[in-house]
Amino acid sequence: MDIQLAIQGGGAKIWALLAALHAIQDLEANKVLRVTRVAGTSAGAIAGCLFAAEVPLGQVRVHLQSAAGANLISHFTKPSVLGALHCCPN
């Protein structure tokens, strides 16, 4: 199945975006789907560029969890469950 990705921005969401794109990389590797286009804004553009460049996102996530990434991650707060599910107000 061919799909196109539109990836939202939000710096604090980059961890979740990388996890989702890592799962999509696995689906592509197993020939379940094929991404034909990628678009993103802000953090979504960063994650999308890494995806499009075929950077192994599992390794990126491991690197960010290491001491080398600890300082960077400390600048971002993890969204709460309610915050992650929050949709734009009416």
Side-chain angles (χ1 to χ4, degrees):
M1 171 189 335
D2 290 352
I3 66 168
Q4 299 176 24
L5 299 175
I7 309 165
Q8 68 183 17
K13 297 176 189 169
I14 195 160
W15 190 253
L17 297 173
L18 292 174
L21 291 172
H22 180 212
I24 292 171
Q25 281 182 330
D26 288 344
L27 291 171
E28 278 194 312
N30 290 317
K31 308 286 186 211
V32 174
L33 57 81
R34 181 174 69 114
V35 176
T36 59
R37 294 182 184 173
V38 179
T41 302
S42 191
I46 295 167
C49 284
L50 292 170
F51 179 86
E54 299 180 355
V55 173
L57 295 177
Q59 291 179 10
V60 172
R61 293 176 69 220
V62 167
H63 182 73
L64 289 175
Q65 287 177 321
S66 72
N71 185 37
L72 175 64
I73 291 172
S74 70
H75 297 286
F76 299 96
T77 57
K78 289 185 180 180
S80 67
V81 173
L82 292 177
L85 298 175
H86 176 71
C87 185
C88 301
N90 295 334

